[in-house]
Amino acid sequence: MNLQVCCNINITNLGKVFESIDPATRQKVQSLSQLSIVEEAGQTGFLLTSDNNNGTLLSGAQFENYSYLRKVDGTQWNQAADWNNPWTDDDLVDLATISLPVGANDLKIAKDAKPGKYVLYLVAKDLDSTDTQANELFRIKLNVEIALPAFTDLYNKVDANWSDGKFVARITPSETNSADPYKANAILTMSSAYGPAVTNAETSRLSYLFSDNDCKYFSDLKSAYNDDKLNAVVNTNGIATLNKGVAYNGSKTALNVKELKDIVAYTSVFAGMKKFGTTDESKYIFEDGSKKAVEAIQEAFTVTSAPYNAQVKTALQGVTLVNYANGTLKPANEPIQLTNDGYMSALTFSDGKPNTGFGFALNGSYVSAKYTEPGVANELGSYSLDGYALWSSAYTDWQDKDVKVTPAVEQANVNVGLSGTPQQYQVKGLATGESTTVTFTLTDQTGFQYPLTVTVVK
């Protein structure tokens, strides 16, 4: 039996076993109340609880109520509920599979449950016999393995978020206070590394364990199950919050962490299970529903990914200044020619592609260096730069994906700012034939800065 987050225990291929029992004996089994499933004497650790006196998992009416009986073709196998009202004349040789529902009704999850190989017995009794010690018609040994699925059986890598065998963990801002910008949390969404390979493998059940060396970069780690170390992301969103004071350099222009090593994604087939009867009621019933006991079972049934590394990138890592002429990108070291009035001609588009002028680029997206009004596609104020919006330094109602743009010129008596209609960047104080450098500093809502410098000439 292969436990799959979390399913029935299926005891299969029973038909051939029953063929070895003579027809006369099989005919004596005419009621489900004659059948029972019993654990090997002295056995511990099996997934389900049994009667402590005789090791019985199911017997009599329990067998009828709490087991699912199927033929080879998957249809219901029926046997008499009582002697006077038989349902059908299904023979035992037609019984191919017995399914035991995990943790339902009388089949509680045992407090010492753990994966392993176990022995059960399917026992049939002769109800006509008055000899309670010798009334067994047969006892069939059943070898059952409670095995964990492989992590890769449950989850697949999200290929778009991996590069060169490493997960690309891009920082995003979260929970911006518009009245106090640049102090948003810097988060990594670890759950974007893997997606479900089967429908019941939810990414909300995944947690992520960091190496001891990398824990210092985070501010909200919890312990992994019964461990007392703060070394894991255990929230349902898979969100890890960076400690910016450690992860960013002092000027917030570079990362102190470029790669996280030996991350392990993990989950339990019993992840998220709560004590039955609480407000977080689950469909599973535990022999011991205390927090400590349930966590011990969760830990015993944990599956883990292979260790993997993550490239850490800032929100706008890779952003550049671009200058086009007739659809061709000019070299980065080529000065931008200002207009007679000192304007940096804003980037235009043709068929959605950059054509001529100056702007910003990130991951194949472009924003023109002009401002008209909020929401205009491919211009300052739109969320066109890979999902981010660039705003002038005068903007005040900051959101998570808003980025402040601050232009500056170091040369005395020369300044730069948005001007005109539509507003474009204008350099004032520069004589004809003179050149200078203009630095555009982009600041995301976590406070990280991206200084970009270009040379202009009039």
Side-chain angles (χ1 to χ4, degrees):
M1 173 266 178
N2 193 23
L3 199 62
Q4 295 283 340
V5 198
C6 198
C7 67
N8 297 341
I9 296 177
N10 296 319
I11 303 171
T12 59
N13 301 320
L14 290 171
K16 293 182 179 179
V17 175
F18 291 127
E19 287 177 356
S20 64
I21 301 171
D22 65 273
T25 301
R26 294 201 305 265
Q27 280 189 333
K28 292 181 180 180
V29 182
Q30 298 183 12
S31 171
L32 288 174
S33 61
Q34 292 175 255
L35 297 176
S36 62
I37 295 180
V38 180
E39 274 200 82
E40 177 79 87
Q43 180 171 268
T44 60
F46 186 64
L47 185 60
L48 305 177
T49 57
S50 60
D51 187 303
N52 291 330
N53 294 325
N54 58 18
T56 301
L57 284 166
L58 286 178
S59 63
Q62 291 178 321
F63 200 97
E64 176 187 345
N65 294 332
Y66 304 138
S67 64
Y68 302 100
L69 312 178
R70 293 289 183 270
K71 300 178 184 180
V72 172
D73 62 4
T75 59
Q76 176 73 40
W77 180 89
N78 291 320
Q79 186 53 282
D82 60 66
W83 289 80
N84 298 317
N85 185 27
W87 297 339
T88 72
D89 58 355
D90 282 348
D91 193 288
L92 280 176
V93 293
D94 299 318
L95 177 56
T97 300
I98 298 175
S99 294
L100 305 179
V102 171
N105 301 302
D106 284 356
L107 296 177
K108 297 181 178 70
I109 297 170
K111 60 185 177 183
D112 60 350
K114 57 182 179 292
K117 295 181 179 180
Y118 299 94
V119 175
L120 305 179
Y121 294 92
L122 178 62
V123 179
K125 293 186 177 182
D126 184 356
L127 297 183
D128 281 339
S129 174
T130 58
D131 185 351
T132 57
Q133 298 301 316
N135 65 347
E136 285 190 7
L137 294 171
F138 56 77
R139 174 178 286 252
I140 299 172
K141 184 177 181 179
L142 306 172
N143 294 310
V144 178
E145 181 176 5
I146 306 299
L148 292 174
F151 185 88
T152 51
D153 290 336
L154 304 178
Y155 297 94
N156 294 323
K157 288 181 179 178
V158 180
D159 291 338
N161 297 329
W162 291 71
S163 177
D164 297 328
K166 299 176 183 178
F167 169 53
V168 179
R170 188 175 288 276
I171 299 170
T172 52
S174 177
E175 300 180 12
T176 293
N177 183 340
S178 60
D180 191 10
Y182 323 125
K183 292 187 177 180
N185 290 333
I187 63 173
L188 299 180
T189 304
M190 304 304 297
S191 58
S192 61
Y194 289 98
V198 292
T199 55
N200 55 356
E202 302 170 4
T203 55
S204 62
R205 289 182 171 182
L206 283 174
S207 297
Y208 306 86
L209 184 68
F210 290 114
S211 66
D212 292 344
N213 186 57
D214 289 339
C215 290
K216 62 180 177 288
Y217 297 116
F218 299 93
S219 61
D220 61 347
L221 301 184
K222 307 296 183 182
S223 62
Y225 283 125
N226 297 328
D227 197 349
D228 60 356
K229 298 171 66 175
L230 301 181
N231 57 356
V233 177
V234 297
N235 58 75
T236 57
N237 294 319
I239 297 297
T241 303
L242 287 167
N243 181 340
K244 292 186 289 185
V246 179
Y248 291 1
N249 70 354
S251 60
K252 297 184 179 179
T253 57
L255 291 175
N256 291 327
V257 53
K258 300 293 180 64
E259 186 171 323
L260 300 168
K261 296 185 177 181
D262 296 326
I263 303 168
V264 174
Y266 68 94
T267 188
S268 171
V269 294
F270 291 110
M273 296 299 98
K274 306 292 185 181
K275 181 179 179 181
F276 190 81
T278 68
T279 54
D280 295 318
E281 184 174 300
S282 78
K283 64 180 180 180
Y284 300 103
I285 304 177
F286 295 89
E287 180 183 14
D288 182 347
S290 66
K291 182 176 184 293
K292 183 177 181 180
V294 172
E295 285 183 347
I297 293 172
Q298 289 174 327
E299 188 172 15
F301 286 89
T302 292
V303 294
T304 63
S305 72
Y308 63 95
N309 295 349
Q311 303 175 44
V312 181
K313 295 186 177 182
T314 57
L316 275 70
Q317 187 162 323
V319 64
T320 59
L321 301 176
V322 293
N323 189 33
Y324 277 82
N326 298 319
T328 300
L329 178 64
K330 291 187 175 184
N333 60 356
E334 181 176 323
I336 294 176
Q337 180 65 55
L338 301 175
T339 67
N340 291 336
D341 294 326
Y343 284 101
M344 303 172 69
S345 298
L347 182 62
T348 61
F349 296 85
S350 177
D351 295 327
K353 298 180 180 180
N355 185 20
T356 298
F358 167 68
F360 304 85
L362 177 62
N363 297 329
S365 60
Y366 301 88
V367 163
S368 176
K370 67 177 179 179
Y371 178 87
T372 54
E373 60 184 38
V376 178
N378 302 116
E379 295 182 13
L380 287 176
S382 70
Y383 290 88
S384 303
L385 195 66
D386 202 22
Y388 286 83
L390 304 185
W391 297 89
S392 69
S393 57
Y395 189 67
T396 58
D397 187 21
W398 298 106
Q399 307 297 320
D400 285 353
K401 290 295 186 76
D402 290 339
V403 177
K404 176 182 175 180
V405 182
T406 306
V409 179
E410 292 185 3
Q411 187 171 332
N413 300 319
V414 178
N415 56 70
V416 61
L418 287 170
S419 180
T421 305
Q423 294 188 51
Q424 302 178 75
Y425 285 104
Q426 183 182 30
V427 179
K428 296 180 179 180
L430 199 63
T432 300
E434 287 186 338
S435 64
T436 190
T437 57
V438 179
T439 297
F440 293 87
T441 299
L442 279 56
T443 307
D444 67 35
Q445 291 306 291
T446 72
F448 197 90
Q449 298 184 8
Y450 311 79
L452 306 171
T453 299
V454 66
T455 300
V456 297
V457 60
K458 188 171 183 183

mmCIF file with all atom_site columns, all heavy atoms in Angstrom, residues 50-70:
data_model
loop_
_atom_site.group_PDB
_atom_site.id
_atom_site.type_symbol
_atom_site.label_atom_id
_atom_site.label_alt_id
_atom_site.label_comp_id
_atom_site.label_asym_id
_atom_site.label_entity_id
_atom_site.label_seq_id
_atom_site.pdbx_PDB_ins_code
_atom_site.Cartn_x
_atom_site.Cartn_y
_atom_site.Cartn_z
_atom_site.occupancy
_atom_site.B_iso_or_equiv
_atom_site.pdbx_formal_charge
_atom_site.auth_seq_id
_atom_site.auth_comp_id
_atom_site.auth_asym_id
_atom_site.auth_atom_id
_atom_site.pdbx_PDB_model_num
ATOM 1   N N   . SER A 1 50 ? -5.976  -0.988  16.796 1.00 0.00 ? 50 SER A N   1
ATOM 2   C CA  . SER A 1 50 ? -6.696  -2.262  16.891 1.00 0.00 ? 50 SER A CA  1
ATOM 3   C C   . SER A 1 50 ? -7.082  -2.505  18.347 1.00 0.00 ? 50 SER A C   1
ATOM 4   O O   . SER A 1 50 ? -6.573  -1.843  19.258 1.00 0.00 ? 50 SER A O   1
ATOM 5   C CB  . SER A 1 50 ? -5.828  -3.416  16.383 1.00 0.00 ? 50 SER A CB  1
ATOM 6   O OG  . SER A 1 50 ? -4.637  -3.522  17.145 1.00 0.00 ? 50 SER A OG  1
ATOM 7   N N   . ASP A 1 51 ? -7.981  -3.461  18.540 1.00 0.00 ? 51 ASP A N   1
ATOM 8   C CA  . ASP A 1 51 ? -8.389  -3.840  19.887 1.00 0.00 ? 51 ASP A CA  1
ATOM 9   C C   . ASP A 1 51 ? -7.171  -4.370  20.640 1.00 0.00 ? 51 ASP A C   1
ATOM 10  O O   . ASP A 1 51 ? -6.498  -5.295  20.196 1.00 0.00 ? 51 ASP A O   1
ATOM 11  C CB  . ASP A 1 51 ? -9.473  -4.911  19.803 1.00 0.00 ? 51 ASP A CB  1
ATOM 12  C CG  . ASP A 1 51 ? -10.063 -5.243  21.158 1.00 0.00 ? 51 ASP A CG  1
ATOM 13  O OD1 . ASP A 1 51 ? -9.286  -5.629  22.051 1.00 0.00 ? 51 ASP A OD1 1
ATOM 14  O OD2 . ASP A 1 51 ? -11.283 -5.129  21.306 1.00 0.00 ? 51 ASP A OD2 1
ATOM 15  N N   . ASN A 1 52 ? -6.863  -3.779  21.785 1.00 0.00 ? 52 ASN A N   1
ATOM 16  C CA  . ASN A 1 52 ? -5.660  -4.172  22.520 1.00 0.00 ? 52 ASN A CA  1
ATOM 17  C C   . ASN A 1 52 ? -5.708  -5.606  23.037 1.00 0.00 ? 52 ASN A C   1
ATOM 18  O O   . ASN A 1 52 ? -4.675  -6.229  23.291 1.00 0.00 ? 52 ASN A O   1
ATOM 19  C CB  . ASN A 1 52 ? -5.442  -3.222  23.706 1.00 0.00 ? 52 ASN A CB  1
ATOM 20  C CG  . ASN A 1 52 ? -5.045  -1.833  23.246 1.00 0.00 ? 52 ASN A CG  1
ATOM 21  O OD1 . ASN A 1 52 ? -4.418  -1.701  22.200 1.00 0.00 ? 52 ASN A OD1 1
ATOM 22  N ND2 . ASN A 1 52 ? -5.414  -0.818  23.994 1.00 0.00 ? 52 ASN A ND2 1
ATOM 23  N N   . ASN A 1 53 ? -6.924  -6.138  23.189 1.00 0.00 ? 53 ASN A N   1
ATOM 24  C CA  . ASN A 1 53 ? -7.042  -7.486  23.751 1.00 0.00 ? 53 ASN A CA  1
ATOM 25  C C   . ASN A 1 53 ? -6.677  -8.580  22.751 1.00 0.00 ? 53 ASN A C   1
ATOM 26  O O   . ASN A 1 53 ? -5.979  -9.530  23.087 1.00 0.00 ? 53 ASN A O   1
ATOM 27  C CB  . ASN A 1 53 ? -8.461  -7.713  24.269 1.00 0.00 ? 53 ASN A CB  1
ATOM 28  C CG  . ASN A 1 53 ? -8.783  -6.819  25.454 1.00 0.00 ? 53 ASN A CG  1
ATOM 29  O OD1 . ASN A 1 53 ? -7.919  -6.542  26.279 1.00 0.00 ? 53 ASN A OD1 1
ATOM 30  N ND2 . ASN A 1 53 ? -10.018 -6.358  25.541 1.00 0.00 ? 53 ASN A ND2 1
ATOM 31  N N   . ASN A 1 54 ? -7.161  -8.437  21.504 1.00 0.00 ? 54 ASN A N   1
ATOM 32  C CA  . ASN A 1 54 ? -6.892  -9.500  20.533 1.00 0.00 ? 54 ASN A CA  1
ATOM 33  C C   . ASN A 1 54 ? -6.351  -9.004  19.201 1.00 0.00 ? 54 ASN A C   1
ATOM 34  O O   . ASN A 1 54 ? -6.255  -9.779  18.248 1.00 0.00 ? 54 ASN A O   1
ATOM 35  C CB  . ASN A 1 54 ? -8.162  -10.333 20.295 1.00 0.00 ? 54 ASN A CB  1
ATOM 36  C CG  . ASN A 1 54 ? -9.329  -9.472  19.812 1.00 0.00 ? 54 ASN A CG  1
ATOM 37  O OD1 . ASN A 1 54 ? -9.130  -8.357  19.339 1.00 0.00 ? 54 ASN A OD1 1
ATOM 38  N ND2 . ASN A 1 54 ? -10.532 -9.990  19.948 1.00 0.00 ? 54 ASN A ND2 1
ATOM 39  N N   . GLY A 1 55 ? -6.009  -7.708  19.107 1.00 0.00 ? 55 GLY A N   1
ATOM 40  C CA  . GLY A 1 55 ? -5.419  -7.181  17.885 1.00 0.00 ? 55 GLY A CA  1
ATOM 41  C C   . GLY A 1 55 ? -6.392  -7.011  16.736 1.00 0.00 ? 55 GLY A C   1
ATOM 42  O O   . GLY A 1 55 ? -5.981  -6.861  15.584 1.00 0.00 ? 55 GLY A O   1
ATOM 43  N N   . THR A 1 56 ? -7.692  -7.013  16.994 1.00 0.00 ? 56 THR A N   1
ATOM 44  C CA  . THR A 1 56 ? -8.688  -6.912  15.936 1.00 0.00 ? 56 THR A CA  1
ATOM 45  C C   . THR A 1 56 ? -8.829  -5.471  15.455 1.00 0.00 ? 56 THR A C   1
ATOM 46  O O   . THR A 1 56 ? -9.050  -4.555  16.240 1.00 0.00 ? 56 THR A O   1
ATOM 47  C CB  . THR A 1 56 ? -10.055 -7.417  16.425 1.00 0.00 ? 56 THR A CB  1
ATOM 48  O OG1 . THR A 1 56 ? -9.925  -8.770  16.842 1.00 0.00 ? 56 THR A OG1 1
ATOM 49  C CG2 . THR A 1 56 ? -11.090 -7.322  15.316 1.00 0.00 ? 56 THR A CG2 1
ATOM 50  N N   . LEU A 1 57 ? -8.688  -5.295  14.120 1.00 0.00 ? 57 LEU A N   1
ATOM 51  C CA  . LEU A 1 57 ? -8.936  -3.990  13.509 1.00 0.00 ? 57 LEU A CA  1
ATOM 52  C C   . LEU A 1 57 ? -10.418 -3.812  13.229 1.00 0.00 ? 57 LEU A C   1
ATOM 53  O O   . LEU A 1 57 ? -11.021 -2.801  13.582 1.00 0.00 ? 57 LEU A O   1
ATOM 54  C CB  . LEU A 1 57 ? -8.146  -3.845  12.208 1.00 0.00 ? 57 LEU A CB  1
ATOM 55  C CG  . LEU A 1 57 ? -6.650  -3.577  12.334 1.00 0.00 ? 57 LEU A CG  1
ATOM 56  C CD1 . LEU A 1 57 ? -5.950  -3.801  11.019 1.00 0.00 ? 57 LEU A CD1 1
ATOM 57  C CD2 . LEU A 1 57 ? -6.410  -2.161  12.819 1.00 0.00 ? 57 LEU A CD2 1
ATOM 58  N N   . LEU A 1 58 ? -11.006 -4.783  12.543 1.00 0.00 ? 58 LEU A N   1
ATOM 59  C CA  . LEU A 1 58 ? -12.421 -4.741  12.184 1.00 0.00 ? 58 LEU A CA  1
ATOM 60  C C   . LEU A 1 58 ? -13.021 -6.116  12.365 1.00 0.00 ? 58 LEU A C   1
ATOM 61  O O   . LEU A 1 58 ? -12.396 -7.129  12.030 1.00 0.00 ? 58 LEU A O   1
ATOM 62  C CB  . LEU A 1 58 ? -12.603 -4.320  10.722 1.00 0.00 ? 58 LEU A CB  1
ATOM 63  C CG  . LEU A 1 58 ? -12.381 -2.857  10.349 1.00 0.00 ? 58 LEU A CG  1
ATOM 64  C CD1 . LEU A 1 58 ? -12.566 -2.677  8.853  1.00 0.00 ? 58 LEU A CD1 1
ATOM 65  C CD2 . LEU A 1 58 ? -13.321 -1.941  11.097 1.00 0.00 ? 58 LEU A CD2 1
ATOM 66  N N   . SER A 1 59 ? -14.255 -6.146  12.851 1.00 0.00 ? 59 SER A N   1
ATOM 67  C CA  . SER A 1 59 ? -14.949 -7.423  12.946 1.00 0.00 ? 59 SER A CA  1
ATOM 68  C C   . SER A 1 59 ? -16.442 -7.171  12.950 1.00 0.00 ? 59 SER A C   1
ATOM 69  O O   . SER A 1 59 ? -16.898 -6.066  13.286 1.00 0.00 ? 59 SER A O   1
ATOM 70  C CB  . SER A 1 59 ? -14.551 -8.195  14.216 1.00 0.00 ? 59 SER A CB  1
ATOM 71  O OG  . SER A 1 59 ? -14.939 -7.467  15.370 1.00 0.00 ? 59 SER A OG  1
ATOM 72  N N   . GLY A 1 60 ? -17.214 -8.191  12.576 1.00 0.00 ? 60 GLY A N   1
ATOM 73  C CA  . GLY A 1 60 ? -18.661 -8.117  12.638 1.00 0.00 ? 60 GLY A CA  1
ATOM 74  C C   . GLY A 1 60 ? -19.219 -6.940  11.869 1.00 0.00 ? 60 GLY A C   1
ATOM 75  O O   . GLY A 1 60 ? -18.877 -6.704  10.710 1.00 0.00 ? 60 GLY A O   1
ATOM 76  N N   . ALA A 1 61 ? -20.095 -6.173  12.515 1.00 0.00 ? 61 ALA A N   1
ATOM 77  C CA  . ALA A 1 61 ? -20.753 -5.040  11.863 1.00 0.00 ? 61 ALA A CA  1
ATOM 78  C C   . ALA A 1 61 ? -19.750 -3.985  11.420 1.00 0.00 ? 61 ALA A C   1
ATOM 79  O O   . ALA A 1 61 ? -19.972 -3.272  10.440 1.00 0.00 ? 61 ALA A O   1
ATOM 80  C CB  . ALA A 1 61 ? -21.786 -4.428  12.812 1.00 0.00 ? 61 ALA A CB  1
ATOM 81  N N   . GLN A 1 62 ? -18.634 -3.843  12.145 1.00 0.00 ? 62 GLN A N   1
ATOM 82  C CA  . GLN A 1 62 ? -17.599 -2.884  11.741 1.00 0.00 ? 62 GLN A CA  1
ATOM 83  C C   . GLN A 1 62 ? -17.098 -3.198  10.339 1.00 0.00 ? 62 GLN A C   1
ATOM 84  O O   . GLN A 1 62 ? -16.852 -2.303  9.531  1.00 0.00 ? 62 GLN A O   1
ATOM 85  C CB  . GLN A 1 62 ? -16.426 -2.932  12.711 1.00 0.00 ? 62 GLN A CB  1
ATOM 86  C CG  . GLN A 1 62 ? -16.705 -2.397  14.096 1.00 0.00 ? 62 GLN A CG  1
ATOM 87  C CD  . GLN A 1 62 ? -15.478 -2.554  14.978 1.00 0.00 ? 62 GLN A CD  1
ATOM 88  O OE1 . GLN A 1 62 ? -14.772 -3.553  14.918 1.00 0.00 ? 62 GLN A OE1 1
ATOM 89  N NE2 . GLN A 1 62 ? -15.228 -1.550  15.789 1.00 0.00 ? 62 GLN A NE2 1
ATOM 90  N N   . PHE A 1 63 ? -16.915 -4.479  10.060 1.00 0.00 ? 63 PHE A N   1
ATOM 91  C CA  . PHE A 1 63 ? -16.395 -4.863  8.750  1.00 0.00 ? 63 PHE A CA  1
ATOM 92  C C   . PHE A 1 63 ? -17.347 -4.400  7.657  1.00 0.00 ? 63 PHE A C   1
ATOM 93  O O   . PHE A 1 63 ? -16.933 -3.928  6.599  1.00 0.00 ? 63 PHE A O   1
ATOM 94  C CB  . PHE A 1 63 ? -16.214 -6.380  8.682  1.00 0.00 ? 63 PHE A CB  1
ATOM 95  C CG  . PHE A 1 63 ? -15.273 -6.831  7.604  1.00 0.00 ? 63 PHE A CG  1
ATOM 96  C CD1 . PHE A 1 63 ? -13.953 -7.111  7.883  1.00 0.00 ? 63 PHE A CD1 1
ATOM 97  C CD2 . PHE A 1 63 ? -15.706 -6.949  6.294  1.00 0.00 ? 63 PHE A CD2 1
ATOM 98  C CE1 . PHE A 1 63 ? -13.083 -7.505  6.892  1.00 0.00 ? 63 PHE A CE1 1
ATOM 99  C CE2 . PHE A 1 63 ? -14.842 -7.342  5.292  1.00 0.00 ? 63 PHE A CE2 1
ATOM 100 C CZ  . PHE A 1 63 ? -13.534 -7.626  5.594  1.00 0.00 ? 63 PHE A CZ  1
ATOM 101 N N   . GLU A 1 64 ? -18.609 -4.539  7.908  1.00 0.00 ? 64 GLU A N   1
ATOM 102 C CA  . GLU A 1 64 ? -19.613 -4.108  6.935  1.00 0.00 ? 64 GLU A CA  1
ATOM 103 C C   . GLU A 1 64 ? -19.636 -2.590  6.790  1.00 0.00 ? 64 GLU A C   1
ATOM 104 O O   . GLU A 1 64 ? -19.733 -2.054  5.689  1.00 0.00 ? 64 GLU A O   1
ATOM 105 C CB  . GLU A 1 64 ? -20.985 -4.608  7.364  1.00 0.00 ? 64 GLU A CB  1
ATOM 106 C CG  . GLU A 1 64 ? -22.117 -4.127  6.467  1.00 0.00 ? 64 GLU A CG  1
ATOM 107 C CD  . GLU A 1 64 ? -23.470 -4.504  7.024  1.00 0.00 ? 64 GLU A CD  1
ATOM 108 O OE1 . GLU A 1 64 ? -23.542 -5.352  7.924  1.00 0.00 ? 64 GLU A OE1 1
ATOM 109 O OE2 . GLU A 1 64 ? -24.461 -3.936  6.546  1.00 0.00 ? 64 GLU A OE2 1
ATOM 110 N N   . ASN A 1 65 ? -19.526 -1.884  7.916  1.00 0.00 ? 65 ASN A N   1
ATOM 111 C CA  . ASN A 1 65 ? -19.706 -0.431  7.905  1.00 0.00 ? 65 ASN A CA  1
ATOM 112 C C   . ASN A 1 65 ? -18.471 0.354   7.483  1.00 0.00 ? 65 ASN A C   1
ATOM 113 O O   . ASN A 1 65 ? -18.580 1.436   6.918  1.00 0.00 ? 65 ASN A O   1
ATOM 114 C CB  . ASN A 1 65 ? -20.133 0.041   9.300  1.00 0.00 ? 65 ASN A CB  1
ATOM 115 C CG  . ASN A 1 65 ? -21.493 -0.474  9.692  1.00 0.00 ? 65 ASN A CG  1
ATOM 116 O OD1 . ASN A 1 65 ? -22.333 -0.736  8.837  1.00 0.00 ? 65 ASN A OD1 1
ATOM 117 N ND2 . ASN A 1 65 ? -21.714 -0.635  10.994 1.00 0.00 ? 65 ASN A ND2 1
ATOM 118 N N   . TYR A 1 66 ? -17.277 -0.182  7.773  1.00 0.00 ? 66 TYR A N   1
ATOM 119 C CA  . TYR A 1 66 ? -16.079 0.630   7.619  1.00 0.00 ? 66 TYR A CA  1
ATOM 120 C C   . TYR A 1 66 ? -15.065 0.086   6.619  1.00 0.00 ? 66 TYR A C   1
ATOM 121 O O   . TYR A 1 66 ? -13.928 0.545   6.593  1.00 0.00 ? 66 TYR A O   1
ATOM 122 C CB  . TYR A 1 66 ? -15.393 0.808   8.983  1.00 0.00 ? 66 TYR A CB  1
ATOM 123 C CG  . TYR A 1 66 ? -16.307 1.388   10.024 1.00 0.00 ? 66 TYR A CG  1
ATOM 124 C CD1 . TYR A 1 66 ? -16.316 0.903   11.313 1.00 0.00 ? 66 TYR A CD1 1
ATOM 125 C CD2 . TYR A 1 66 ? -17.177 2.431   9.703  1.00 0.00 ? 66 TYR A CD2 1
ATOM 126 C CE1 . TYR A 1 66 ? -17.165 1.435   12.275 1.00 0.00 ? 66 TYR A CE1 1
ATOM 127 C CE2 . TYR A 1 66 ? -18.023 2.960   10.655 1.00 0.00 ? 66 TYR A CE2 1
ATOM 128 C CZ  . TYR A 1 66 ? -18.017 2.457   11.937 1.00 0.00 ? 66 TYR A CZ  1
ATOM 129 O OH  . TYR A 1 66 ? -18.852 2.985   12.873 1.00 0.00 ? 66 TYR A OH  1
ATOM 130 N N   . SER A 1 67 ? -15.427 -0.879  5.830  1.00 0.00 ? 67 SER A N   1
ATOM 131 C CA  . SER A 1 67 ? -14.516 -1.350  4.783  1.00 0.00 ? 67 SER A CA  1
ATOM 132 C C   . SER A 1 67 ? -15.211 -1.244  3.437  1.00 0.00 ? 67 SER A C   1
ATOM 133 O O   . SER A 1 67 ? -16.445 -1.249  3.356  1.00 0.00 ? 67 SER A O   1
ATOM 134 C CB  . SER A 1 67 ? -14.099 -2.805  5.045  1.00 0.00 ? 67 SER A CB  1
ATOM 135 O OG  . SER A 1 67 ? -15.227 -3.664  4.973  1.00 0.00 ? 67 SER A OG  1
ATOM 136 N N   . TYR A 1 68 ? -14.404 -1.132  2.397  1.00 0.00 ? 68 TYR A N   1
ATOM 137 C CA  . TYR A 1 68 ? -14.924 -1.037  1.036  1.00 0.00 ? 68 TYR A CA  1
ATOM 138 C C   . TYR A 1 68 ? -14.432 -2.249  0.274  1.00 0.00 ? 68 TYR A C   1
ATOM 139 O O   . TYR A 1 68 ? -13.218 -2.466  0.163  1.00 0.00 ? 68 TYR A O   1
ATOM 140 C CB  . TYR A 1 68 ? -14.460 0.260   0.380  1.00 0.00 ? 68 TYR A CB  1
ATOM 141 C CG  . TYR A 1 68 ? -14.875 1.493   1.151  1.00 0.00 ? 68 TYR A CG  1
ATOM 142 C CD1 . TYR A 1 68 ? -13.973 2.153   1.987  1.00 0.00 ? 68 TYR A CD1 1
ATOM 143 C CD2 . TYR A 1 68 ? -16.169 1.980   1.061  1.00 0.00 ? 68 TYR A CD2 1
ATOM 144 C CE1 . TYR A 1 68 ? -14.351 3.272   2.709  1.00 0.00 ? 68 TYR A CE1 1
ATOM 145 C CE2 . TYR A 1 68 ? -16.563 3.105   1.780  1.00 0.00 ? 68 TYR A CE2 1
ATOM 146 C CZ  . TYR A 1 68 ? -15.652 3.740   2.600  1.00 0.00 ? 68 TYR A CZ  1
ATOM 147 O OH  . TYR A 1 68 ? -16.034 4.851   3.314  1.00 0.00 ? 68 TYR A OH  1
ATOM 148 N N   . LEU A 1 69 ? -15.368 -3.021  -0.262 1.00 0.00 ? 69 LEU A N   1
ATOM 149 C CA  . LEU A 1 69 ? -15.047 -4.296  -0.897 1.00 0.00 ? 69 LEU A CA  1
ATOM 150 C C   . LEU A 1 69 ? -15.296 -4.180  -2.395 1.00 0.00 ? 69 LEU A C   1
ATOM 151 O O   . LEU A 1 69 ? -16.375 -3.762  -2.831 1.00 0.00 ? 69 LEU A O   1
ATOM 152 C CB  . LEU A 1 69 ? -15.909 -5.411  -0.299 1.00 0.00 ? 69 LEU A CB  1
ATOM 153 C CG  . LEU A 1 69 ? -15.972 -5.441  1.243  1.00 0.00 ? 69 LEU A CG  1
ATOM 154 C CD1 . LEU A 1 69 ? -16.897 -6.550  1.705  1.00 0.00 ? 69 LEU A CD1 1
ATOM 155 C CD2 . LEU A 1 69 ? -14.586 -5.609  1.836  1.00 0.00 ? 69 LEU A CD2 1
ATOM 156 N N   . ARG A 1 70 ? -14.294 -4.567  -3.198 1.00 0.00 ? 70 ARG A N   1
ATOM 157 C CA  . ARG A 1 70 ? -14.392 -4.403  -4.642 1.00 0.00 ? 70 ARG A CA  1
ATOM 158 C C   . ARG A 1 70 ? -13.983 -5.676  -5.368 1.00 0.00 ? 70 ARG A C   1
ATOM 159 O O   . ARG A 1 70 ? -13.113 -6.424  -4.920 1.00 0.00 ? 70 ARG A O   1
ATOM 160 C CB  . ARG A 1 70 ? -13.494 -3.246  -5.114 1.00 0.00 ? 70 ARG A CB  1
ATOM 161 C CG  . ARG A 1 70 ? -13.933 -1.865  -4.631 1.00 0.00 ? 70 ARG A CG  1
ATOM 162 C CD  . ARG A 1 70 ? -15.204 -1.408  -5.333 1.00 0.00 ? 70 ARG A CD  1
ATOM 163 N NE  . ARG A 1 70 ? -15.594 -0.062  -4.930 1.00 0.00 ? 70 ARG A NE  1
ATOM 164 C CZ  . ARG A 1 70 ? -16.401 0.221   -3.913 1.00 0.00 ? 70 ARG A CZ  1
ATOM 165 N NH1 . ARG A 1 70 ? -16.886 -0.793  -3.190 1.00 0.00 ? 70 ARG A NH1 1
ATOM 166 N NH2 . ARG A 1 70 ? -16.710 1.453   -3.619 1.00 0.00 ? 70 ARG A NH2 1
#
